[in-house]
Amino acid sequence: MTTSDWITDIALILVVFRQLREGRLDLKSFLIPLGIVTFVAHTYLDSIPTGGNDLVLVGTLMAAGAALGVAGGVYTRIRSAGGHLLIKAGAVSAILWVVGMGARMGFQLWVDHGGGDDVARFSVTHHITSDQAWVAAFVLMALTEVVTRLATIFIRSRMAPRAQPAPVTGREAPVADTLV
């Protein structure tokens, strides 16, 4: 793994840790993770191989990413306060995010440090035609996890009841004077 691989993987993992503290749900909440996965897809996704069972591998990992993303979005708390929506990733959401992102990083480390032959044998046995099929599958898994998590949060935010802030009238409330 290169330094940029490490930085990218760690950045993706840190995205959810940013949400462990409750904060305002705003455009940044969506754009930062989407920007990171767009960069990753642009950097690593040259093509999507379609030979052999490559699409089965890609589809399987994308389905896993979708499941992790939807579950992560469901286990993210969204509440209204002061006229704003607040978001906080719960423990389950954080664990699911780290499992998904960490699995990809772990797979890459394993391949780089002795697991390459096992992956090659698996690929031959299951008719996966190239290394690019694995790259595409894992990149699309990450992309799917991020997009489905954000879509789930977006949909839930639209359904969340919104508390209205106290009206500001510009007048102070009358004070009762009492004479004793």
Side-chain angles (χ1 to χ4, degrees):
M1 286 179 66
T2 66
T3 302
S4 65
D5 292 341
W6 278 101
I7 291 169
T8 303
D9 287 343
I10 291 169
L12 284 168
I13 290 173
L14 292 177
V15 164
V16 82
F17 286 112
R18 186 176 149 260
Q19 293 177 352
L20 286 175
R21 276 192 347 212
E22 187 173 58
R24 193 169 165 183
L25 180 62
D26 56 14
L27 195 55
K28 265 190 331 191
S29 305
F30 296 98
L31 292 181
I32 290 172
L34 286 174
I36 293 170
V37 294
T38 299
F39 169 78
V40 169
H42 181 269
T43 303
Y44 296 100
L45 193 59
D46 296 327
S47 65
I48 301 173
T50 58
N53 285 327
D54 294 352
L55 289 178
V56 173
L57 174 67
V58 169
T60 300
L61 290 186
M62 285 179 69
L68 288 168
V70 169
V74 166
Y75 285 102
T76 298
R77 185 177 75 175
I78 299 171
R79 71 180 186 94
S80 181
H84 301 288
L85 287 177
L86 302 175
I87 185 172
K88 181 178 180 180
V92 172
S93 181
I95 289 168
L96 291 169
W97 186 264
V98 171
V99 164
M101 298 300 160
R104 286 181 284 284
M105 191 181 336
F107 181 82
Q108 182 64 43
L109 284 170
W110 176 61
V111 168
D112 288 348
H113 295 92
D117 291 341
D118 293 326
V119 172
R121 279 190 294 280
F122 180 91
S123 295
V124 168
T125 301
H126 296 282
H127 309 289
I128 297 167
T129 63
S130 69
D131 294 347
Q132 184 59 33
W134 287 98
V135 171
F138 278 113
V139 168
L140 290 170
M141 178 186 178
L143 181 68
T144 304
E145 182 176 356
V146 169
V147 169
T148 56
R149 181 177 184 274
L150 293 176
T152 302
I153 289 170
F154 179 79
I155 291 166
R156 290 185 59 228
S157 75
R158 293 294 171 217
M159 297 183 331
R162 299 184 195 273
Q164 297 299 321
V168 177
T169 62
R171 296 183 295 153
E172 292 185 29
V175 177
D177 291 329
T178 52
L179 297 173
V180 178

